[in-house]
């Protein structure tokens, strides 16, 4: 197949006043996402799809309890293809396991659907290119649901960068550090993962399988794909990765073409306290969210607590100004998710350019395979593809 490689970084599509959404994957994350969509205006859920009939029934109950119209239900192995082809769907929300994300998204975009795809969007470089090629050819949105880009702390940090508070940013750190040992092999009904798919994946791989929570906000801070891009990485994992305890830890260092450095960490199998690091180092200012939130600059020295809250409020992002009042009125549990959902819906309804595009999805997701390549080859430098084909400059 020959592709028309038209840049879609600034893609705006025709507005969709009422967005018809199909859900593929209704496990823990899918059901949680469906519940979030119940409070969004201008959304109609038309199709529900999962291999497990019990999960589809749970989803149908969510619609009924929310006073929504019943959706069509699908439970066969290949039913997702029917949703991709369905003319009554504008956007497919993909909340399946990692290994199926790309196939479903590619088919849906080929059939004219926008896709909202859980993280990571792909597990291999080849699949990242499939997403880019298809989005460019079909001119459909491929929005990766990276909620950490909508963390109020990260958004304020982005505003601080835009106002020059950091001076020149030289180094950033991000992570996904989360003690998931109890969930790794737990039954799905007890909060675990269907067939233990995450534990099975990590049992046969090294590298960082979940880089986007840390890398997404950093990419926006460093204007990656818009003036800079990731050039190469080196990655290391402890030798105990495949011990009987199932330890899985990874450390990856990335250097950009413009000479910035990024540290990414992954650890879900030790008692280490939750952290996404969210650290930014500049020539005039520094900030971090974890383990203890603080900031420092040449004028004020180190600030934390109420002084830090005041600083972040000073640089409050327009999205927080627009969406926080509604979030508090509705009593949402996670404002990151709410702002992400609201803004994606707004972009589709008004024909605006989404904040996260297919090049971001590919660049952030390709770290999974490339970090593993580096680990298996003794931590050698590994080049990172330019998914924009030179247009990042």
């Amino acid at each position: 197949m020959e592709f028309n490689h038209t840049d879609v970084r600034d893609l705006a599509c025709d507005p969709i006043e009422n967005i018809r959404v199909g859900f593929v994957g209704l496990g823990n994350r899918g059901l949680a996402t469906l519940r979030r969509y119940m409070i969004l205006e201008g959304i109609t859920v038309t199709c529900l799809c999962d291999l497990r009939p019990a999960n589809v029934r749970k989803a149908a109950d969510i619609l009924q309890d929310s006073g929504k119209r019943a959706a069509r239900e699908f439970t066969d192995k290949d039913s997702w293809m029917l949703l991709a082809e369905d003319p009554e769907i504008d956007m497919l929300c993909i909340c399946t396991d990692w290994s199926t994300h790309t196939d479903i998204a590619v088919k849906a975009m080929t059939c004219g659907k926008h896709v909202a795809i859980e993280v990571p969007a792909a597990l291999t470089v080849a699949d990242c290119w499939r997403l880019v090629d298809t989005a460019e050819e079909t001119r459909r949105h491929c929005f990766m649901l990276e909620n950490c880009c909508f963390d109020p702390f990260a958004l304020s940090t982005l505003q601080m960068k835009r106002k020059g508070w950091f001076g020149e940013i030289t180094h950033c750190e991000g992570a996904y550090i989360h003690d998931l040992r109890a969930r790794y092999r737990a039954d799905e009904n007890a909060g675990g993962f269907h067939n233990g798919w995450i534990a099975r994946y990590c049992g046969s791989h090294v590298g960082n399988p979940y880089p986007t929570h840390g890398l997404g906000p950093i990419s926006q801070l460093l204007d990656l794909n818009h003036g800079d891009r990731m050039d190469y990485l080196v990655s290391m994992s402890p030798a105990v990765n495949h011990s009987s305890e199932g330890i899985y830890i990874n450390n990856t260092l990335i250097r950009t073409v413009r000479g910035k450095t990024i540290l990414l960490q992954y650890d879900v199998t030790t008692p280490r306290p939750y952290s996404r690091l969210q650290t930014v180092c500049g020539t005039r200012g520094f900030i971090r969210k974890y383990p203890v939130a603080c900031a420092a600059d040449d004028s004020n020295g180190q600030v934390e607590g109420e002084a830090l809250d005041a600083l972040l409020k000073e640089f409050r992002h327009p999205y927080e100004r627009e969406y926080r009042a509604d979030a508090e009125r509705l009593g949402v549990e996670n404002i990151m998710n709410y702002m992400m959902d609201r803004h994606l819906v707004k972009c589709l309804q008004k024909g605006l350019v989404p904040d996260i595009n297919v090049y971001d999805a590919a660049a952030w997701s390709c770290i999974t395979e490339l970090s593993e390549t580096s680990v298996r080859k003794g931590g050698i430098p590994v080049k990172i593809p330019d998914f924009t084909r030179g247009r990042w400059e």
Side-chain angles (χ1 to χ4, degrees):
M1 180 182 295
E2 294 185 2
F3 290 101
N4 175 19
H5 298 302
T6 303
D7 188 2
V8 292
R9 285 180 304 165
D10 297 320
L11 176 65
C13 295
D14 291 339
I16 307 171
E17 183 176 355
N18 181 64
I19 305 164
R20 299 168 299 176
V21 181
F23 273 81
V24 180
L26 292 163
N28 292 326
R29 188 65 178 175
L31 290 173
T33 305
L34 178 63
R35 290 188 188 96
R36 299 200 317 260
Y37 272 51
M38 294 299 94
I39 62 173
L40 300 177
E41 297 180 0
I43 290 287
T44 301
V45 177
T46 59
C47 295
L48 303 170
C49 178
D50 194 280
L51 291 171
R52 293 143 293 182
N55 283 359
V56 175
R57 287 195 296 272
K58 291 177 184 177
D61 289 343
I62 290 172
L63 291 178
Q64 183 178 12
D65 293 344
S66 301
K68 305 295 184 181
R69 187 178 69 188
R72 285 173 291 146
E73 302 176 8
F74 299 84
T75 57
D76 292 338
K77 179 181 179 182
D78 295 326
S79 292
W80 62 268
M81 294 187 183
L82 299 178
L83 269 69
E85 297 169 352
D86 195 314
E88 294 186 14
I89 292 176
D90 301 305
M91 182 181 78
L92 207 57
C93 189
I94 303 168
C95 301
T96 55
D97 69 86
W98 299 339
S99 65
T100 60
H101 286 177
T102 303
D103 285 345
I104 299 172
V106 166
K107 174 69 172 177
M109 286 189 286
T110 301
C111 293
K113 310 292 186 291
H114 301 298
V115 294
I117 182 171
E118 265 297 344
V119 299
L123 294 175
T124 67
V125 173
D127 276 352
C128 289
W129 277 116
R130 287 174 63 204
L131 290 172
V132 170
D133 287 341
T134 307
E136 289 181 339
E137 176 68 12
T138 63
R139 300 190 67 76
R140 297 294 88 185
H141 290 306
C142 181
F143 183 93
M144 188 165 62
L145 294 165
E146 184 40 80
N147 61 352
C148 292
C149 291
F150 295 85
D151 177 350
F153 188 98
L155 288 173
S156 288
T157 301
L158 185 58
Q159 283 294 93
M160 295 166 75
K161 176 260 183 183
R162 290 170 174 168
K163 301 295 185 180
W165 191 87
F166 294 105
E168 179 185 358
I169 295 177
T170 57
H171 173 76
C172 292
E173 299 177 5
Y176 187 65
I177 298 166
H178 192 178
D179 185 359
L180 294 178
R181 291 173 297 169
R183 294 184 59 191
Y184 243 44
R185 291 177 176 81
D187 181 83
E188 184 178 357
N189 293 325
F193 303 96
H194 179 59
N195 290 333
W197 62 267
I198 290 184
R200 286 189 290 107
Y201 178 89
C202 292
S204 58
H205 291 80
V206 294
N208 186 336
Y210 206 64
T212 69
H213 278 348
L215 187 53
I218 290 172
S219 294
Q220 295 180 331
L221 281 165
L222 297 182
D223 297 319
L224 300 187
N225 292 335
H226 294 273
D228 199 356
R229 70 172 181 86
M230 294 182 286
D231 188 12
Y232 66 91
L233 62 76
V234 295
S235 188
M236 297 183 187
S237 295
V240 293
N241 265 9
H242 301 301
S243 69
S244 60
E245 291 82 12
I247 304 299
Y248 197 104
I249 300 170
N250 176 261
N251 296 281
T252 296
L253 277 171
I254 300 169
R255 184 178 175 90
T256 75
V257 171
R258 303 296 190 203
K260 317 300 184 183
T261 56
I262 301 167
L263 169 66
L264 288 182
Q265 294 188 328
Y266 178 79
D267 179 1
V268 295
T269 52
T270 74
R272 190 173 173 185
Y274 182 89
S275 174
R276 298 198 308 274
L277 293 179
Q278 291 189 233
T279 301
V280 186
C281 304
T283 54
R284 295 201 301 269
F286 162 90
I287 199 168
R288 73 178 183 198
K289 184 173 182 179
Y290 302 95
V292 177
C294 67
D297 67 358
D298 292 339
S299 301
N300 302 305
Q302 183 169 316
V303 297
E304 53 187 57
E306 293 182 358
L308 177 59
D309 292 341
L311 176 65
L312 294 171
K313 186 174 182 180
E314 178 185 348
F315 290 96
R316 193 163 61 156
H317 193 278
Y319 293 171
E320 189 177 0
R321 297 179 187 275
E322 182 175 0
Y323 302 128
R324 178 173 282 279
D326 283 344
E328 293 175 349
R329 175 178 57 84
L330 293 166
V332 300
E333 295 181 358
N334 185 315
I335 193 170
M336 296 193 306
N337 286 332
Y338 180 73
M339 290 198 292
M340 175 182 69
D341 297 338
R342 275 286 303 272
H343 199 65
L344 173 59
V345 168
K346 177 182 177 179
C347 288
L348 293 176
Q349 289 176 330
K350 296 185 177 296
L352 305 176
V353 180
D355 296 59
I356 300 172
N357 57 47
V358 71
Y359 306 107
D360 301 321
W364 306 349
S365 298
C366 79
I367 303 304
T368 294
E369 179 183 358
L370 299 180
S371 61
E372 178 164 12
T373 298
S374 181
V375 170
R376 292 194 182 280
K377 294 185 177 182
I380 66 168
V382 176
K383 294 290 286 186
I384 299 172
D386 173 14
F387 294 102
T388 73
R389 309 179 209 271
R391 294 183 292 247
W392 63 273
E393 295 187 87

